[in-house]
Amino acid sequence: MNFAGYQLLPVLPELVLALGAMTLLMIGAYRGPQTTGLVTGLAVCLLVVVGALELLLPAGKLTTFNGSFIVDDFARFLKILALIGSAVTLILSTEFLADPSRRIFEYAILVLLSTLGMMVLISAGDLIMLYLGLELMSLALYVVAASNRDNAKSTEAGLKYFVLGALSSGMLLYGASLVYGFTGTVSFAGIAASAKTGSIGIVFGLVFLLAGLCFKVSAVPFHMWTPDVYEGAPTPVTAFFASAPKVAAMAVFTRVALTAFPGIVPEWQQIVVFVSIASMALGSFAAIGQKNIKRLMAYSSIGHMGFALVGLAAGTAEGAQGVLVYIAIYVAMTLGTFSIILAIKRNGQPIENISDFAGLSRTNPLLAFFFAMFLFSLAGIPPLAGFFAKFYVFIAAIKAGLFTLAVIGVLSSVVGAFYYLTIIKVMYFDEPLAKLDPMRVELRTVLAVAGLFNIFFFVYPGPLVSVATAAAKSLF
């Protein structure tokens, strides 16, 4: 019994999350849509409890299921980040779910199940666990994208995401089967031992595997779903897509590259460098002509994933640390920005066009200030948190000798700054429109926490950087 208990100890947070989600599903199923508020509140509490359990697990590296499930510092760091992203998204969704026509208790349960998939994905130690986690995360995301059933755009977003997601899963599975066929094992440690020389079959499998993962982080050339899904999905769902699933996908991207294929770094490095440059360039240039703020955030997200991959391209512990710092700061910036997008309403109607932010500095100066700070941070302007995120990945790339990649990254940041500054110009220099509705307390709370983290990160960056350093070292 003790042995069985020890075997299940590393997966205790995931078991609690799964059982909690099933319990909430029963509550919702028996008591109907009026339980939406209760189920959402309990779901947030459940995510907090799971986060606490994750932190209370014994220190060091824990493995179970014959090494296919790994809990190390890397997994702990990113799981906590994914749980924060999911919990904050549910908090941001309370107003959306309060509408009598949208009382869907299943929404919170789908977010919980997707989060369970993310946690499994982050701890995956072999290709089978990777696929299980990825599909559990993705299937819930497809449904939640189409959760606003009365809106044709939302339904279209869910369908597009599902069709393209199925294609990417097929590519990933094909890559995994090739890797298994040429190495004779599915575990990352076994693959690393067999793939010391880059045989053509292993490289082919690696290409397909990375193509499937590129879709999940919405990196070029597998980004095509992102703008349409971000625009069509309800805004709280877009905030979810832009935060927690990106954490899990970037985690598995990093783990697969660094732990399953450490012997063939030059082979995957050139793929990551190409994807990174293409994502940074497209994210910067394609966003310039956007009129819809959610589409602009989609291209911004594509660009930011490109910047995060600069750290991975280095293939070093310092590069992995850069990826972790980047993704943590990116989540804070994104959730803060979406809290503002959700807050801006006129006569109860949400607004999505950039022109609707006109004169915000005169009608609501504090909101305009925080939004400007987030946009400056996303552009990477010092001394805001976004500058440090880019600083760590560029330094890692330079130390690894990837000078061209770092230079292209800096130039892409300059181009990207243009469209962020365009929004600031609209807020501060255009004539104001009608007054906004008052901001709800939960949106204010998220905005205050994310905004203060973003502005004052430079004062005391030590804790995040030291935790990210320990997490990155656990991969090597």
Side-chain angles (χ1 to χ4, degrees), residues 26-267:
M26 291 300 107
I27 293 170
Y30 279 106
R31 297 192 52 198
Q34 70 267 25
T35 58
T36 301
L38 172 70
V39 168
T40 306
L42 290 173
V44 174
C45 296
L46 178 61
L47 289 169
V48 172
V49 169
V50 171
L53 284 174
E54 193 64 53
L55 292 172
L56 291 170
L57 286 177
K61 184 175 180 177
L62 307 173
T63 59
T64 188
F65 305 134
N66 291 327
S68 63
F69 192 92
I70 301 166
V71 180
D72 50 12
D73 290 342
F74 178 81
R76 285 187 190 91
F77 179 88
L78 288 156
K79 282 183 186 181
I80 295 298
L81 206 51
L83 289 165
I84 290 169
S86 300
V88 172
T89 305
L90 286 175
I91 292 166
L92 293 178
S93 306
T94 47
E95 187 178 7
F96 169 75
L97 296 171
D99 187 312
S101 66
R102 288 197 294 260
R103 283 194 179 154
I104 34 180
F105 72 87
E106 300 94 338
Y107 176 90
I109 292 155
L110 286 165
V111 169
L112 290 179
L113 292 173
S114 182
T115 309
L116 176 61
M118 290 173 215
M119 292 179 75
V120 172
L121 189 59
I122 291 167
S123 278
D126 66 19
L127 295 170
I128 294 171
M129 193 64 79
L130 181 154
Y131 189 69
L132 280 173
L134 197 68
E135 286 307 291
L136 181 54
M137 174 181 93
S138 301
L139 288 170
L141 292 179
Y142 303 147
V143 182
V144 93
S147 56
N148 192 0
R149 286 169 293 194
D150 302 329
N151 186 320
K153 267 190 171 181
S154 177
T155 313
E156 183 189 344
L159 190 61
K160 275 183 181 171
Y161 194 18
F162 171 65
V163 171
L164 291 167
L167 174 72
S168 81
S169 293
M171 290 170 72
L172 187 129
L173 261 185
Y174 181 58
S177 65
L178 279 174
V179 170
Y180 170 64
F182 282 94
T183 61
T185 178
V186 290
S187 83
F188 294 163
I191 292 166
S194 301
K196 287 203 169 84
T197 56
S199 79
I200 192 75
I202 292 172
V203 172
F204 253 90
L206 175 64
V207 169
F208 279 103
L209 202 60
L210 293 187
L213 295 175
C214 281
F215 179 90
K216 298 302 173 190
V217 295
S218 62
V220 177
F222 304 98
H223 66 284
M224 64 292 282
W225 60 275
T226 317
D228 291 342
V229 172
Y230 274 40
E231 185 186 3
T235 308
V237 175
T238 306
F240 183 50
F241 283 170
S243 54
K246 291 279 190 287
V247 172
M250 193 54 80
V252 76
F253 208 127
T254 307
R255 194 187 283 279
V256 166
L258 295 175
T259 63
F261 299 99
I264 53 168
V265 171
E267 278 82 353

Side-chain angles (χ1 to χ4, degrees), residues 371-372 375-376 419-429:
F371 199 17
L375 293 168
F376 279 134
Y419 60 81
Y420 295 123
L421 292 170
T422 305
I423 304 173
I424 294 169
K425 174 254 169 195
V426 168
M427 287 196 297
Y428 279 87
F429 298 106

